Every structure is written in C-alpha cells, then in structure tokens.
Amino acid sequence: MSSELYIGLMSGTSMDAVDCVLADLSDALNVIDFINVDIPARLKKDILDLCLESGDNQIKKLGETDVALGKLFASAAISILEKNQLNAEQIQAIGSHGQTIRHQPPGQSDNPFTIQIGDPNTIAALTGITTVADFRRKDMALGGQGAPLLPAFHQRVLKSTQTDRIILNIGGMANITLLRKEDNQITGFDTGPGNILLDIWIQENLNQSFDNNGDWAASGKPNAELLEFMLNDPYFSSPPPKSTGREYFNNSWIANVLSAYAKEISPQDVQATLLELAAISIAQAIKNLIGAGDVIVCGGGVKNKQLMHCLETQLDSFNVSSSNAYGIDSDALEAFAFAWFAKQTINRESIDFTNITGSSRPVILGGIYSP
Ligand SMILES: Nc1ncnc2c1ncn2[C@@H]1O[C@H](COP(=O)(O)OP(=O)(O)O)[C@@H](O)[C@H]1O
Ligand SMILES: [Mg+2]
C-alpha cells in the first residue's frame, strides 16, 4: 500500500520547543519520526512581548516575528525531511498550528479573536510543500471558542467502545476530551492551567524554565488556604465550552492570589500549591463528567512525576496512564494532530466541533498555501 506522508508542526503556550512530526496518514495513522527544534532566546522574548497587552512598536515586531517563526518552522520541516532522506515532492502537505500570541475567546470578550503566527507563505516557499495553517479562526468566525481542537483527533485515534475515555493534554494549559464508549459525541474543553504557572514561578524564583520531574514542587508543602483562593477563580466553575491561555493564567494571576492570601509563604510551598491546583482542577473537571474509565495523558506534563502522582491520587477510581501505553508518543501527539488536520483540509473534509468549541456547524478548518 502506498504511503501518504504529512508533516505536523506545533508550538504551544509553553514555548519550550517547536514539535515536528512526520506521519503516514494513509490508513492506520502512524508517526514515523518526531523531532524538537529549540526556539532561539531572542525569538522567544519577542513572542512573549507580543503576548503582552501593551508594548512599543507592536506591528513591526508582529510582522518580523511572524516571518522569523515561519523560517524556524520551515527549518524544522526541512530537518525532518533530511533526517529521513525524503524530498519535498514526497510530502502531501504540512499542517502548521503556529504560535498563539493572543487568544480572546467569546465569553471572555465581546470582540473575540485569536491569532497564531508563523507565516505559512514562508513555510510553503522555503520547503516547497503545500502548507495548511490558521486552523482556529474559522471556528471562531462561526461563534466557537477556537479551542480546543485536539478532541476531534483524539476521537480518531483513541476512541474505545469498551470503556469511557478521557484524553488529557497537559501542555501550558490543560485540556480534556471525553470519548463515551456508547456514542460518538465528543466533549472537550480547557480545564485551566497545566504547566504554565509552574514554569512561570520556577523561572521567577530559580531562573529555570521548568520544574524537572516536579522535584521543586515536591520539596514544598501545598497550602490549603492559598489553594482555596486559587480555586475560587471563576474560570474553574464556569461551564464549558471554555478555553483559556497565557493572557489569563500568568504571573499577574499568581501575584493576585498571593496578595489575596496576604501571608508569608515560601516559594517552594507556592510551587507545591500551584501543582496541586493543576491536578485538582483537572481531576474535578474529569469527575464532573464521569466517575470511572481510562484517563490517557499526553503533553509535557507527563514528565512531571509529582504532577502525575498527584493526579493519580485525585483520580483513584480511574485508570491513569500516558498515551505511550497506547502506542502514541505523548510528546508527539499534538503535532501529529495538526498533520491530520492538514489532511482533512486538503481533502475538503469538514469536522464537527459544535459540542467542543460551541461553533454553529461542522467546518473545514484552515487556509491552504501553495509552495
Ligand atoms: N522533565 C520534565 N519535568 C517536568 N515538567 C516537564 C518536563 N519536560 C517537560 N515538562 C513540562 O512540559 C512543558 C511543555 O509541554 P508541551 O506539551 O510541549 O506544552 P505546550 O503545548 O504548551 O508547548 C514544559 O514547559 C514543562 O513545564
Ligand atoms: Mg511545547
């Protein structure tokens, strides 16, 4: 049988790296290779600046960063081609999510919009491969949250007719997908922060970009009173559809809860409490949906041992394991999804996000950029 090769590119809220997947989507979907490409420090700083509400000369910075990221995404695609001794003609298309610099969904704004950058014209021109990008804005144009999109792919690759399943992606934000065994309805939404607050707090205190294994959090003690201030945030109790991002859960959010708490607390106890917040808010969102089943975890949060341990404790009636146990690399899953989304767009296949994002009808996502 002939193969149908696609490339998926993903750069999430965490900005830890560009994820690049080479996938065969001919029949059974398979990841052939997966690489990470570092985001140079200067580029990362420019992206973070663009995520801020205000700043100097934003339009020039936006234009320049858009193209610089497009070049970086193209270099990731070229690297995976070279590594696998393939040429551009052998690839059907690239699906590029882009880097979100602002996500202002309905419910949080009267003038909703979302922006992902990483110029797809540049990617198509430099790689010589048709590129599909801008996946979220059509959904929002139809009244949807523009997020999360992953649930549609989760259903395609992880659906079971034997057990109810939750697919939990712990990136910067955490999002869940419920796949019920008895029907094909999909529910999915962002539960709130995944790794983002842990990353921000350790960066601020220890100048490290992430809490390896969650060791620093494990050295502290969660503070019940501070946790209550955190869980009082209305995001956690608001009903789906809902989505969130760095513009909501950020260093100001941490500063606000700490000033509401207004007592002395060690930085490692804050980290332990932030980790507990991630685990509890995720677990509560899951338990509001179902009482038992499989919880399949993907995203960088899988590597945070303390977070996984805390989740397992919170979800003791569930079978919690990483997607690796189901044959899908937990780091590659999101980029894999965008390879598949690209194929759906190229083939003019619509996807039904109405129960996930709240959009008004099934839709063909994305724009197609020829080389
Ligand atoms: N060894 C590790 N220990 C703890 N946390 C980790 C580890 N490796 C990755 N992470 C966390 O995962 C995050 C990246 O996850 P990822 O799924 O790529 O998120 P995003 O989609 O937002 O880019 C990092 O920022 C970090 O918080
Ligand atoms: Mg990432």
Side-chain angles (χ1 to χ4, degrees):
M1 198 176 56
S2 64
S3 58
E4 265 187 77
L5 301 181
Y6 285 79
I7 287 174
L9 292 167
M10 178 71 208
S11 179
T13 331
S14 306
M15 295 176 205
D16 54 318
V18 175
D19 302 337
C20 178
V21 153
L22 173 68
D24 181 356
L25 306 181
S26 49
D27 185 21
L29 313 183
N30 277 310
V31 172
I32 296 172
D33 198 9
F34 170 61
I35 60 170
N36 283 135
V37 173
D38 284 343
I39 304 176
R42 178 63 215 262
L43 185 54
K44 187 170 168 177
K45 185 184 175 299
D46 287 344
I47 299 165
L48 283 167
D49 284 348
L50 289 168
C51 292
L52 297 173
E53 291 289 328
S54 60
D56 290 339
N57 207 1
Q58 293 253 340
I59 292 180
K60 181 174 157 68
K61 187 168 275 184
L62 173 62
E64 290 177 356
T65 310
D66 185 34
V67 174
L69 259 174
K71 289 180 182 167
L72 184 68
F73 291 149
S75 75
I78 291 166
S79 296
I80 211 165
L81 288 183
E82 284 172 354
K83 189 176 162 211
N84 289 275
Q85 294 171 337
L86 291 164
N87 54 47
E89 293 71 45
Q90 291 168 280
I91 307 295
Q92 308 290 322
I94 293 173
S96 175
H97 172 269
Q99 178 70 54
T100 299
I101 53 165
R102 219 59 73 81
H103 183 67
Q104 188 173 296
Q108 279 172 40
S109 166
D110 293 336
N111 300 298
F113 74 95
T114 185
I115 301 183
Q116 286 73 41
I117 62 170
D119 179 28
N121 299 285
T122 301
I123 303 173
L126 293 181
T127 59
I129 300 170
T130 299
T131 299
V132 186
D134 195 11
F135 289 95
R136 298 191 188 271
R137 293 199 301 164
K138 180 75 69 56
D139 182 81
M140 224 182 234
L142 291 169
Q145 292 277 316
L149 301 179
L150 285 180
F153 181 67
H154 291 156
Q155 183 185 45
R156 178 67 180 77
V157 290
L158 286 163
K159 163 89 182 166
S160 161
T161 52
Q162 314 296 313
T163 330
D164 287 340
R165 282 187 169 167
I166 294 281
I167 320 305
L168 164 61
N169 177 46
I170 314 181
M173 299 299 143
N175 63 273
I176 57 172
T177 303
L178 168 62
L179 304 172
R180 287 186 193 276
K181 60 178 185 288
E182 70 268 19
D183 59 36
N184 281 326
Q185 286 236 333
I186 322 171
T187 313
F189 57 91
D190 287 353
T191 61
N195 297 298
I196 192 162
L197 300 176
L198 300 169
D199 287 358
I200 289 173
W201 189 246
I202 198 166
Q203 181 72 53
E204 231 169 85
N205 287 275
L206 302 184
N207 198 23
Q208 292 170 20
S209 56
F210 65 96
D211 185 359
N212 193 23
N213 299 324
D215 287 343
W216 191 46
S219 76
K221 200 169 154 292
N223 178 301
E225 199 184 332
L226 176 60
L227 181 64
E228 210 178 306
F229 279 113
M230 292 176 176
L231 284 167
N232 276 340
D233 186 285
Y235 185 83
F236 299 115
S237 50
S238 72
K242 58 179 176 177
S243 60
T244 188
R246 192 181 270 283
E247 44 287 289
Y248 192 89
F249 290 104
N250 50 30
N251 47 353
S252 315
W253 190 89
I254 300 177
N256 287 341
V257 287
L258 285 176
S259 82
Y261 174 67
K263 287 180 203 159
E264 276 295 306
I265 179 166
S266 72
Q268 62 272 26
D269 286 359
V270 174
Q271 186 78 347
T273 312
L274 288 170
L275 185 139
E276 195 100 339
L277 170 74
I280 289 180
S281 59
I282 290 167
Q284 275 178 356
I286 292 173
K287 288 189 276 192
N288 284 342
L289 294 173
I290 47 170
D294 296 334
V295 175
I296 304 173
V297 195
C298 57
V302 167
K303 300 215 186 85
N304 186 321
K305 291 197 180 106
Q306 182 66 8
L307 179 59
M308 289 298 284
H309 173 71
C310 199
L311 263 175
E312 280 161 19
T313 311
Q314 293 291 328
L315 292 167
D316 56 355
S317 59
F318 291 81
N319 167 33
V320 181
S321 54
S322 99
S323 67
N324 299 324
Y326 295 79
I328 303 180
D329 183 331
S330 59
D331 287 323
L333 200 142
E334 222 175 344
F336 188 15
F338 282 92
W340 182 78
F341 284 128
K343 178 176 172 180
Q344 307 317 297
T345 304
I346 296 277
N347 292 344
R348 314 313 288 160
E349 297 271 359
S350 60
I351 308 179
D352 189 355
F353 290 98
T354 52
N355 276 322
I356 306 163
T357 63
S359 60
S360 56
R361 59 170 167 80
V363 66
I364 298 169
L365 294 179
I368 301 175
Y369 298 76
S370 302

